C-alpha cells in the first residue's frame, strides 16, 4: 500500500523503488493497486527493473491516460474499490505499507483488523521512510498505553526503516502460533 501522489519528496520514491527492486531480485511478485504515480508507481518501476512479476488491480474507472501502470504482467479490473481490496487481500502473501494518505491508511487498517481478528495470518510490515509514520506509531502506542488497544495488535505490524530488514522479516515470517480474537475476548 502506498501513495498515488507525485507531489511528494523524491526520497520517498527512491526508497520505495529500491524496495521493489529488492523484492523482485529475491524472487517475489507484486500485487498492488495498479497506479503509475506516487509510491505505487515507484514500487512497480522497481519490480520492472528486475523483471519481477507485477499484478495490478484497479477498477476500470481508473483506466484513463497516465493513471495505471502499463507494464503489469496481469491487470484485474474489479467493479468497486471494495472488490479491489478484497482481491488484493486474497492474492497477496504479505502486506507492506509505505507512506501514503487516506487510501493507504484505509487499506492498512482493514488488513491489520482482519489479522487481529484471526481472519488471516499473513505478515504485515510498515516501511517507515524518513520517519513518515512516527506520529502514527505514537498514536498506536498511545492507544495501547490507554488500554484502547491490546499491545499484541502493534506486534502484528512491525516497523522497518531498512528495506533489507523488512524483506528478510517477510521471508522468515512463520506466523503467530495463536492469533488472538479480541471479538471473543481471548487473551
Amino acid at each position: 500500500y502506498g501513495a498515488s501522489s507525485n507531489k511528494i519528496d523524491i526520497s520517498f520514491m527512491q526508497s520505495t523503488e529500491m524496495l521493489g527492486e529488492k523484492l523482485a531480485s529475491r524472487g517475489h511478485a507484486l500485487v498492488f493497486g495498479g497506479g503509475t504515480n506516487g509510491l505505487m508507481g515507484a514500487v512497480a518501476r522497481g519490480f520492472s527493473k528486475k523483471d519481477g512479476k507485477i499484478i495490478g488491480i484497479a477498477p476500470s474507472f481508473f483506466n484513463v491516460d497516465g493513471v495505471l501502470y502499463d507494464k503489469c504482467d496481469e491487470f484485474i479490473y474489479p467493479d468497486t474499490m471494495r472488490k479491489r481490496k478484497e482481491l488484493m487481500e486474497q492474492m497477496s502473501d504479505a502486506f507492506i505499507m509505505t507512506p501514503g494518505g487516506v487510501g493507504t491508511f484505509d487499506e492498512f487498517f482493514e488488513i491489520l483488523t482482519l489479522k487481529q481478528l484471526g481472519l488471516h495470518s499473513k505478515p504485515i510490515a510498515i516501511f517507515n521512510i524518513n520517519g513518515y509514520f512516527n506520529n502514527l506509531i505514537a498514536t498506536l502506542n498511545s492507544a495501547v498505553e490507554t488500554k484502547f488497544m491490546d499491545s499484541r495488535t502493534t506486534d502484528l505490524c512491525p516497523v522497518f526503516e531498512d528495506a533489507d530488514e523488512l524483506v528478510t522479516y517477510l521471508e522468515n515470517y512463520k506466523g503467530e502460533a495463536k492469533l488472538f480474537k479480541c471479538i471473543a475476548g481471548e487473551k
Side-chain angles (χ1 to χ4, degrees), residues 12 15-16 19 39 96-99 125-138 158-163 166:
F12 291 99
S15 294
T16 304
L19 174 64
L39 301 188
I96 301 170
M97 179 172 65
T98 63
I126 298 173
F127 192 24
N128 192 23
I129 302 168
N130 298 342
Y132 179 82
F133 290 115
N134 289 351
N135 290 332
L136 176 64
I137 294 161
V159 179
F160 298 90
E161 294 174 5
D162 180 84
L166 188 155

Side-chain angles (χ1 to χ4, degrees), residues 81-96:
M81 293 295 281
R82 284 192 178 109
K83 187 66 176 172
R84 174 197 202 190
K85 290 192 300 183
E86 180 183 340
L87 288 169
M88 288 172 65
E89 174 196 344
Q90 291 171 354
M91 296 179 72
S92 298
D93 295 325
F95 305 95
I96 301 170

Side-chain angles (χ1 to χ4, degrees), residues 1-167:
Y1 307 124
S4 61
S5 172
N6 277 337
K7 297 177 183 177
I8 58 179
D9 186 89
I10 191 71
S11 64
F12 291 99
M13 302 274 203
Q14 292 167 336
S15 294
T16 304
E17 188 169 322
M18 183 172 291
L19 174 64
E21 289 179 41
K22 289 177 186 294
L23 287 162
S25 68
R26 288 165 74 164
H28 302 285
L30 174 66
V31 175
F32 81 125
T36 196
N37 296 318
L39 301 188
M40 278 197 285
V43 74
R45 286 189 300 278
F47 266 84
S48 289
K49 281 183 178 180
K50 298 294 181 177
D51 295 321
K53 182 176 180 174
I54 303 171
I55 301 169
I57 303 175
S60 58
F61 58 80
F62 278 142
N63 196 8
V64 294
D65 288 345
V67 173
L68 299 179
Y69 192 68
D70 62 359
K71 294 184 175 118
C72 293
D73 297 295
E74 179 182 351
F75 216 104
I76 301 169
Y77 297 99
D79 293 333
T80 66
M81 293 295 281
R82 284 192 178 109
K83 187 66 176 172
R84 174 197 202 190
K85 290 192 300 183
E86 180 183 340
L87 288 169
M88 288 172 65
E89 174 196 344
Q90 291 171 354
M91 296 179 72
S92 298
D93 295 325
F95 305 95
I96 301 170
M97 179 172 65
T98 63
V102 69
T104 301
F105 297 141
D106 170 56
E107 292 164 337
F108 167 75
F109 279 112
E110 180 171 337
I111 211 68
L112 177 60
T113 300
L114 294 173
K115 186 168 183 177
Q116 175 186 315
L117 294 172
L119 299 175
H120 78 81
S121 61
K122 300 172 184 178
I124 302 171
I126 298 173
F127 192 24
N128 192 23
I129 302 168
N130 298 342
Y132 179 82
F133 290 115
N134 289 351
N135 290 332
L136 176 64
I137 294 161
T139 299
L140 293 173
N141 289 334
S142 176
V144 169
E145 290 167 13
T146 54
K147 309 292 188 232
F148 283 93
M149 189 170 76
D150 191 289
S151 64
R152 293 175 290 180
T153 301
T154 56
D155 294 341
L156 299 175
C157 54
V159 179
F160 298 90
E161 294 174 5
D162 180 84
D164 287 313
E165 290 176 12
L166 188 155
V167 175

